[in-house]
């Protein structure tokens, strides 16, 4: 059901941890499943992401997508990091089962939240970046029970 890459990133996650005095920190959760992801970015004066780390309290797919997302944004510019969408993360992992797609949204949103935090701290605007949600479940249609 999971690709080898997903299993690899779940069992040997890259970039786990925190960055002290990070340039930007983003935390997002999904109230529906209760999973939480936090991404730390270290961004230099040229706007290059030098380091990316994560802490995820969540399912295996959330761990694998955070691991891959941090790999994908390291060494990239802010503009390039904005293109690391959940689709890009899933492609890099050779796909996720449909019921796990929402887990990859956490990774995309956590990167956006960390970039937003960086922009706020530095009083800048990042084109194409809007205020991230703290709960990716927000705005989804309510289920009828
Ligand atoms: Fe919630 Fe995966 S089940 S992030």
């Amino acid at each position: 059901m999971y690709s080898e890459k997903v299993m690899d990133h779940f069992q040997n996650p890259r970039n786990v941890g925190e960055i002290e005095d990070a340039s930007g920190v983003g935390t997002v959760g999904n109230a529906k499943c209760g999973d939480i992801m936090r991404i730390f970015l270290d961004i230099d004066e040229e706007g290059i992401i030098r380091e990316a780390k994560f802490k995820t309290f969540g399912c295996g797919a959330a761990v694998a997508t955070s691991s891959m997302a941090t790999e994908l944004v390291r060494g990239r510019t802010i503009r390039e990091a904005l293109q690391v969408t959940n689709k890009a993360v899933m492609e890099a992992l050779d796909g996720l089962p449909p019921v796990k797609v929402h887990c990859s949204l956490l990774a995309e949103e956590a990167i956006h939240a960390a970039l937003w935090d960086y922009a706020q701290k530095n009083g800048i605007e990042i084109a194409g970046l809007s205020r991230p949600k703290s709960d990716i479940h927000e705005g989804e249609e309510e289920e009828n029970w």
Side-chain angles (χ1 to χ4, degrees), residues 2 29-37 56-63 65 99-107 136:
Y2 287 114
N30 182 331
K32 203 169 172 188
C33 63
D35 293 350
I36 298 168
M37 187 183 291
T56 291
F57 181 77
C59 72
V63 171
T65 50
V99 291
K100 288 285 165 185
V101 171
H102 77 271
C103 316
S104 63
L105 280 171
L106 271 184
I136 61 156

Side-chain angles (χ1 to χ4, degrees), residues 32-46:
K32 203 169 172 188
C33 63
D35 293 350
I36 298 168
M37 187 183 291
R38 179 169 293 166
I39 285 189
F40 303 80
L41 298 178
D42 185 22
I43 302 170
D44 71 13
E45 313 77 54
E46 259 111 71

Side-chain angles (χ1 to χ4, degrees), residues 1-14 60-61 63-69 71-72 88-96:
M1 146 169 185
Y2 287 114
S3 72
E4 267 175 43
K5 279 194 191 160
V6 173
M7 290 310 290
D8 178 31
H9 278 263
F10 168 55
Q11 280 163 344
N12 311 293
R14 308 346 178 232
V63 171
T65 50
S66 343
S67 169
M68 182 54 91
E71 284 285 271
L72 291 177
V89 173
M90 281 199 295
E91 270 168 23
L93 285 170
D94 293 336
L96 277 176

